[in-house]
Structure formats: C-alpha cells, structure tokens
Amino acid sequence: MPEDSQIESSRPVALVTGASRGIGRAIAIELARNGFDLMINFVANEAAATEACAAAWAADKHKQARVEQCRADVSQAPDRSRLLATTRETFGRLDVLVNNAGIAPQSRVDLLDADEDSLDRLLDVNLKGPYFLSQAAARWMIEQKETRTLANYSPAIINITSISAYTASPERSDYCIAKAGLAMMTKLYATRLATEGINVYEVRPGVIATDMTAAVTAKYDKLIAEGLTPIRRWGTPEDVGRAVGAIASGSFPFSTGEVINVDGGFHLRRL
C-alpha cells in the first residue's frame, strides 16, 4: 500500500463510487453536508463528476469540505487499487466506503433469451467490483485501527442494492442476480468485520427517479398511482442520500448487516 498523506484529513473521509450523478451524487452531497471530506469516483463523465464535486463542496455550510475526484472502473483490479491509493495519498484515511457504482442491462430481454456477455458485465461492475473493493478497504480500515490513533474512528461499509435483490424481474435477470449477490455480500462482510469494529450496512432503494429509470417513467407513474407503494410517489436520490448520511454519521452503532429500505413501503406485505 502507498504511504498515507503527509497531511491527514482532520475530518472523516468517505469514498463514494459511481458518484458523478444520480444516487451517488446525492449521497456525496449529503455526506459533505454531514461533515465528511470526499473522494468522488466516476468512470466516464468527468464533467458530471466535477459538477458533483462542486455541489458537494457547496453543501457544506462551513465551506470546509475537501472534495476530490478519481476516474476508476471498479470492475477492474488495477483501477480499484489506484482508487484506494489515490484516496490514501490525498486524505491519509478512510472512514466510510459507499459501494454505489452500478449499471443496468443494456437491454431488457426475456430470461430465456439472456446471454453471457450481459451477465458477465453486470456481475463485474455490480458485484465483483464492490466485493473486492470492500476487501481492500476493510484491510486498510483494520490497519488504521491497529496502528494509528484517529479520534472517533468508527469505520463502515455501506452497500447500495435495490428492491431487485428480492423482486423477480425475468426481463432483468442479470441485474436481479447481481443485486441479490450484493445483499448477501453485505451479510458476509458484516459477519466477518464485526469483531474488527467495522459495521456493514445495506441501503435498498425502491423506484427512484434517476437516469436508469427514465425510460420506464410512464410504467411506474401508473403503478405508483395504483398503489405499488404505500407512499405514493417516486423516490428521489436525496431520499437515499439521507439514509446513507444517517448511517455514516454513526447513528446505528449497535447494528450491522442491517437492511435500510428506502422504497416507499414497497417491501411491506399487504392484504
């Protein structure tokens, strides 16, 4: 591992993957509002990442947040290593990892017509990436706890999944499988890291208004109006950001492996 920054951040530091837009951007903004310095990860849209950095900095009422950005594809091992190395060299510490980066299928196809390329692509980004990024981040967090004195250091890993982790959509089977795997990954890491003092959480969004759902707006407008969710509105990226902010601020110190549903009540079984 590279050496820590000579100037260690005095504020907690969060790394948010896939934070240039949508849910990731809202999470970054909320964390800056809550007193975090930030590493914003993106893979393609540098202009959007720069805008997200500016928005996160502006959200800090004291205008003291340090917000940096790093291009990296979490599905690639060299990129994951560089992302953590850049965070370490820039801030000297890591308090919270938010595994938010994720992609949707390029096309919705029937389960019986699904191909290997789409499944491989979804699993690489949505599951393998956060699996191994969490592994490397956890090792660094353990090292920090063992070798350094950081005030109020309570590291955490937060995984952003989806109601697709348990809701079967045969035309998006690859996405559902990847998110179900990420949900199990949360349980695995929560079990392994509890004795290390690292809590792990799953935030499970429902129908959220983002670029990913723009193509099915009419479909979900109708379903929500008909009662798909007890709270009859679309979720927003800010709804998810607030949930992550509450977890990252340390409001749930005696919880790990917990699922926080941000879905308007979709998960409720009703008669």
Side-chain angles (χ1 to χ4, degrees), residues 108 162-164 167-169 171-172 175-176 206-210 212-229 231-235 266:
R108 298 187 177 210
S162 166
I163 56 174
S164 293
T167 304
S169 299
E171 76 283 2
R172 295 186 304 124
Y175 186 79
C176 293
V207 182
I208 307 296
T210 66
M212 192 178 290
T213 55
V216 289
T217 297
K219 170 186 175 180
Y220 284 107
D221 280 346
K222 182 174 184 294
L223 289 173
I224 291 169
E226 292 172 349
L228 176 70
T229 55
I231 301 175
R232 296 193 181 190
R233 68 168 175 85
W234 281 76
F266 176 87

Side-chain angles (χ1 to χ4, degrees), residues 18 44 51 55 72 88 98-99 121 139 172 221 243 248 250 262 268-269:
E51 292 175 1
R88 188 162 190 160
V98 182
N99 286 309
R121 174 175 171 267
R139 288 171 174 166
R172 295 186 304 124
D221 280 346
V262 186
L268 298 171
R269 296 180 180 179

Side-chain angles (χ1 to χ4, degrees), residues 21-158:
R21 58 191 177 88
I23 289 174
R25 183 180 188 272
I27 289 170
I29 289 171
E30 185 66 21
L31 291 176
R33 186 177 290 122
N34 289 357
F36 280 78
D37 285 344
L38 289 163
M39 180 62 76
I40 287 181
N41 159 248
F42 72 102
V43 70
N45 195 334
E46 185 172 8
T50 300
E51 292 175 1
C53 285
W57 181 84
D60 175 20
K61 64 180 180 181
H62 301 296
K63 301 299 183 286
Q64 294 176 345
R66 185 177 179 189
V67 185
E68 304 291 344
Q69 63 192 63
C70 180
R71 184 194 300 268
D73 180 349
V74 298
S75 72
Q76 302 300 312
D79 281 26
R80 292 193 298 270
S81 296
R82 180 167 48 80
L83 176 57
L84 285 179
T86 301
T87 303
R88 188 162 190 160
E89 291 164 0
T90 302
F91 297 107
R93 64 186 289 176
L94 178 64
D95 297 69
V96 174
L97 168 64
V98 182
N99 286 309
N100 169 74
I103 57 174
Q106 291 180 323
S107 61
R108 298 187 177 210
V109 299
D110 184 82
L111 176 61
L112 300 183
D113 297 318
D115 61 59
E116 290 188 26
D117 288 344
S118 182
L119 179 62
D120 287 345
R121 174 175 171 267
L122 268 290
L123 290 177
D124 281 351
V125 176
N126 294 1
L127 183 55
K128 185 181 79 172
Y131 179 93
F132 285 108
L133 186 61
S134 295
Q135 181 188 77
R139 288 171 174 166
W140 180 15
M141 290 171 173
I142 292 168
E143 175 193 325
Q144 290 178 106
K145 290 179 74 70
E146 291 177 345
T147 64
R148 304 170 65 194
T149 302
L150 295 174
N152 302 315
Y153 185 60
S154 300
I157 296 173
I158 304 170

